[in-house]
Structure formats: C-alpha cells, structure tokens
Amino acid sequence: MVSRDRRIAGVARSARLVPALLAGLLALTGCGGGVHGTPGGSGVRDPFFPKAGNGGYDVSHYGLRLAYDPDAHRLTGTATLTARATQDLSAFNLDLLGLEVEKVTVGDEIARFNRAGQELTVRPREDVDRDETFRVTVRYSGAPETVTDPDGSREGWLRTADGVLALGEPTGSMTWFPGNHHPSDKAAYDLAVTVPQGLRAVSNGELRGESTARGRTTFEWRTSEPMASYLATLAIGRFDIGRFGTGRDIGRFDIGRFGAGRSQAERGLPVYTAVDPAEAEASRPVLGRIPEVLRWAERRFGPYPFSSTGAIVDHAPDLGYALETQTRPVFPGAPDITLLVHELAHQWYGDSVSPRSWRDMWLNEGFATYAEWLWEEEHGGRSAQETFDALYSGEYFATREAGEAVWAFPPADPPSAARISDPPVYWRGAMVLQKVRQAVGDDRFWGILKGWAAEYRYGNADTADFTAYVESRAPGVDFQGIWEEWLYGEGRPERA
C-alpha cells in the first residue's frame, strides 16, 4: 500500500549521458563533493513511535492546498512547509504514508527525493545551513489511507457516508499531508480545500474564505496559534453550520439553529459548529452550552488559549472515540455534557500545552478527566474527592474488571504504544491531580492549574516538567510519596 518508488528529478536518464547519471546517483546517496551538512534524523526517537517526526528542522507554518473527490476517493494536494534548519542539512525527511509524490522543491529548486515506508527523504540541490529558514513544497495525489493504531482504533483518512473525517492521534495526519508529525513540532496552518459543490469542508481555526466556481467550492481555513499536527482535522460532507459568539464579555449570544430568541454578541469568542443533519436534533442542547462551559473553564484554567472555538459532530457511529482537535473538537455523534467538558478542557491541556512525547499522554487525559470531576463537583454532582474515593474502593465502575483496570500500570509510564489511552492514563492520572489538591489545598491548587497552562502555553511539556512546576509552586510540601506511589508506582497505593 505504501509507495516505495525512487525518483530522481532534474537528472537526465538517457543512457547516452552516463556521467550525468552517475553524478545524479552519487547525489542521491548524499555523498557528493563539498557537502558540509548531514541528513536530518528519520524520527525523534519517541519512546512509542520512534519513526514519528524528523530531526534537523523545525516547522513554523504549513500551507496546504487540497482537492478531494469523495466519489473517486482521490486527493490531490500541494503542501508548502516553512521551516528553520536546526543543523546543517544535506537531506531531511518528511512523514507521509501512502499517496504518490509527484514533485518536490526546496526554495525555487527542484529537489531529489525517495520513499521508504512513511519516510519521504528530500535532498535539496544545495545544503541548507543551520538557522536558515527554508521552504519545501511537495505536490502529491492518490487515495488516502485509514490506519489502525496499536490499540486497534482507526485514524487517518476515514470515509463517511457523504465525505470524509480526517483524524490524527497519534500518527494519522501523515496519511493526508507530509510533515513533521510529532507533537514536539508545532506550527501555524493555512488550509484551502476544494470539494464538490453542495459539500462543506470544515477544519481548525477560522474560516477565511468560501468561493464556488464550475461546480466546486473552496474553503479556506487559518490556524494562527501553534498546533501539533495530530490535532489538525478535516471534515468533508453535508453539515448544518452554526455561527455564534460566547459573549463572555457581555453574556449574550445567538446560536442560530441551536437556539432562538437571543441577539448575537457584539464581542466575544467566535464559535463555529458543523453538525451532520442526522445528529443535529440530539446535538442542539449540548452544543448550545459551549459558551457556558468555556466561561466556567476560564475561571478554573485561565484565559482560553485560542482565537475561536466550536465543534464538529459527524455521523460516524463505528468510530468509537471523540478527539480534541484544536479549536474544534470532533465527536462521532451527539455528545453529552461530560464529553463536551472533557474535549474543551483539552484545549488548555493537550492542545495549548502539548505532550513532549507520547509517554506523557496522562498530562492530556488526566487533566481533561479531572475537568469532568470539577464540572460535576460544581454543578450539583459528587465532589472530586467522592469520585476519587469511589475509584479507589472499586465502586465507581459497574464491574470489578473495570475497577481493577485503573491500577494496571502507572499513569506516567505506560508499558507500550497500545496502552497510552488505557484507563490508568485517564482515571489514575486524574487521581494524581486530586492527591496534589489534597496536599496543597484548594487556593494553591487553582493557582497550579492556571499557572501550568500559562507556563507552557503553546509549548510542550513532560512529566518531569510537571512535577518540577508543582514543587516550585508549593516549596514547603513533600510530594515524593505522591510521585513515587501515585504517578510512577505499580498497583494500587496504600491509602494515605
């Protein structure tokens, strides 16, 4: 399924030009004379996905121009990446799974390239100097793939009844655009997508333009704040669109099809929702609470980190999960309020503050799960401590097996790629936060929640960063037992 074609662009193949052919082949191996750079790494050595991402450069911007025909299941694309070299580069890799690469340029020069699995290796005509900003453009096409994660879930390019849903956690984004596909390299995005007239294309950020010509419509989306590629999404199909504002400044909003009788906010965070008509009726009450949830979340987590928000609700009953795609979480059906709270909390924890590696998933899921506990605590349900107690005693879940699964491994040390979304990452991760809250008291804990989101805003963090940050905010508290027993300890800790 993966194209492994080797192509040499701009090198004569005529048998009569043997010297030129030999020179081209020497260049393809990166062994030409005068080379001062070295190839960038083919991965960033993530503990669970070692081939994800690439070394030697940092991407600042993706410019994607795509066209998709759902009937033919054919994608054509041009991806332009702006990046800065972090070393002298004779070659560098991009992650791209499947699809046919037709042409690669670096700057204005045609570049040689070859394929091997998910690795697209690019060899520019001239070495790229360290700290140099360069532009690489890849023209490609084909039938994008759906991939199966180590845990058995599906991601990548997921076909729906009327279009497609592109999801990327942890590595699926490489099925529809080439890039540095690891959360440690975040960038801004401009995405233009052309689809048959009558369909819509919905992505992250703000809709900057919409135009129709010759039976096809182009939608232009912009994400200005840094985004990890696994958080990029694209939904193509028939959607009911809601546009409104949070009205967080004046407390008023108009939610269009999702409400009536209220005037549109003059100011406030823009909200854009796209809902499959089959899910519209069931989604309306919950999506109408987006402004309420965000106002609550800002009180607990600090200022919302992005310039827009919203949701995509598709009709994908077999998908089995929602995803915190940046500014616009994706739901496979109508969400309930708890799931909405979880995915919106991820905008702070996971999207703005992203994991340094996939081992750090608990910093995403533990925080978002704890947000559910706080929402329940502050909206007439059980307290976070009561939830903690029920989990500890095994009474929270309906079955003994589900209760025991929480203790299968430490949340900060999943045993394999297949386990990074298992119960300990969510539930025991949230329990770690409750133990911190117990240790420091509420006032200081609220400061930690907000401060953590502010300290690493738009960046990356790992577990060591978190423990060091907590200790710096409460220097008189001994956290050693919490880290050793609850964060890294095997089995259920003794109750302190």
Side-chain angles (χ1 to χ4, degrees):
M1 300 193 308
V2 178
S3 171
R4 299 177 183 270
D5 295 343
R6 293 179 178 269
R7 299 175 179 273
I8 305 176
V11 178
R13 292 179 177 270
S14 170
R16 293 173 294 176
L17 300 178
V18 174
L21 178 59
L22 289 175
L25 290 174
L26 284 172
L28 184 61
T29 63
C31 298
V35 173
H36 66 273
T38 57
S42 60
V44 296
R45 298 184 180 179
D46 185 273
F48 295 136
F49 299 94
K51 284 294 187 181
N54 301 283
Y57 65 94
D58 179 73
V59 182
S60 60
H61 182 265
Y62 288 87
L64 306 177
R65 298 198 66 86
L66 309 178
Y68 182 63
D69 182 347
D71 291 337
H73 184 43
R74 180 172 177 80
L75 176 73
T76 60
T78 300
T80 300
L81 285 66
T82 303
R84 180 183 63 84
T86 58
Q87 66 178 66
D88 293 335
L89 284 172
S90 62
F92 57 89
N93 283 22
L94 301 173
D95 299 315
L96 182 66
L97 183 63
L99 301 171
E100 183 75 13
V101 176
E102 299 160 5
K103 182 180 179 181
V104 180
T105 60
V106 177
D108 297 323
E109 300 288 342
I110 294 175
R112 295 174 292 273
F113 64 90
N114 69 289
R115 306 290 299 279
Q118 72 184 51
E119 302 296 329
L120 167 61
T121 302
V122 178
R123 294 178 171 84
R125 188 180 296 271
E126 301 289 340
D127 283 9
V128 179
D129 294 332
R130 180 175 180 172
D131 292 326
E132 179 182 348
T133 296
F134 65 97
R135 185 180 70 254
V136 55
T137 300
V138 181
R139 192 171 69 197
Y140 59 99
S141 62
E145 299 181 11
T146 298
V147 297
T148 301
D149 291 339
D151 67 1
S153 59
R154 297 180 305 127
E155 58 168 315
W157 198 261
L158 305 166
R159 300 181 73 180
T160 61
D162 57 359
V164 70
L165 185 58
L167 298 175
E169 188 180 54
T171 62
S173 295
M174 66 182 174
T175 64
W176 58 285
F177 66 96
N180 201 17
H181 289 299
H182 188 267
S184 59
D185 191 0
K186 304 169 78 168
Y189 284 72
D190 281 284
L191 173 63
V193 188
T194 301
V195 295
Q197 186 174 358
L199 300 182
R200 302 195 69 89
V202 183
S203 188
N204 314 83
E206 289 80 58
L207 181 63
R208 306 293 296 221
E210 179 181 337
S211 59
T212 299
R214 297 185 295 277
R216 298 178 70 78
T217 304
T218 299
F219 299 86
E220 299 178 30
W221 293 88
R222 173 169 295 172
T223 301
S224 299
E225 299 91 357
M227 178 169 72
S229 64
Y230 83 91
L231 298 169
T233 191
L234 177 59
I236 296 172
R238 301 185 185 280
F239 295 104
D240 292 341
I241 302 301
R243 294 181 177 93
F244 53 101
T246 61
R248 62 186 179 192
D249 293 334
I250 56 177
R252 297 185 292 116
F253 59 92
D254 174 12
I255 57 175
R257 285 199 57 180
F258 299 98
R262 300 186 181 182
S263 59
Q264 185 174 1
E266 298 173 6
R267 300 185 304 278
L269 189 70
V271 182
Y272 185 104
T273 59
V275 183
D276 187 291
E279 303 291 342
E281 186 66 27
S283 298
R284 187 174 297 122
V286 174
L287 296 189
R289 298 183 72 179
I290 289 175
E292 174 192 357
V293 173
L294 287 179
R295 286 193 289 267
W296 168 82
E298 283 194 316
R299 289 196 298 272
R300 281 288 167 241
F301 312 140
Y304 180 74
F306 305 117
S307 53
S308 65
T309 189
I312 298 170
V313 182
D314 213 332
H315 183 66
D318 296 330
L319 181 58
Y321 64 90
L323 190 62
E324 62 270 20
T325 42
Q326 190 160 306
T327 69
R328 197 149 290 112
V330 169
F331 304 94
D336 61 21
I337 188 62
T338 301
L339 186 57
L340 181 68
V341 167
H342 183 104
E343 302 305 336
L344 289 179
H346 270 310
Q347 305 305 303
W348 285 261
Y349 309 111
D351 294 10
S352 177
V353 183
S354 299
R356 200 176 301 280
S357 82
W358 287 110
R359 174 173 285 147
D360 303 305
M361 271 283 281
W362 85 273
L363 291 172
N364 291 18
E365 302 302 346
F367 273 81
T369 300
Y370 195 75
E372 297 178 34
W373 298 7
L374 291 180
W375 175 269
E376 184 178 8
E377 177 177 279
E378 297 176 28
H379 291 81
R382 70 176 120 195
S383 69
Q385 185 61 48
E386 288 171 335
T387 300
F388 179 101
D389 293 340
L391 282 164
Y392 188 86
S393 67
E395 298 173 356
Y396 187 85
F397 295 104
T399 67
R400 180 177 179 275
E401 290 75 17
E404 290 298 322
V406 172
W407 312 106
F409 57 83
D413 193 19
S416 69
R419 309 293 297 278
I420 62 172
S421 294
D422 275 13
V425 173
Y426 288 70
W427 300 101
R428 190 167 167 184
M431 295 177 86
V432 170
L433 296 179
Q434 180 62 15
K435 292 297 292 185
V436 172
R437 182 180 176 183
Q438 290 174 347
V440 302
D442 278 6
D443 288 346
R444 191 174 290 181
F445 182 71
W446 305 137
I448 287 173
L449 285 183
K450 289 182 178 179
W452 173 250
E455 181 78 10
Y456 290 91
R457 185 181 176 97
Y458 304 141
N460 297 85
D462 59 20
T463 300
D465 293 321
F466 173 75
T467 56
Y469 179 79
V470 170
E471 289 170 359
S472 73
R473 295 298 298 265
V477 178
D478 183 4
F479 294 98
Q480 196 64 26
I482 297 175
W483 308 149
E484 290 181 356
E485 298 176 17
W486 291 88
L487 193 53
Y488 284 104
E490 297 287 346
R492 179 163 49 187
E494 290 295 326
R495 187 67 179 270

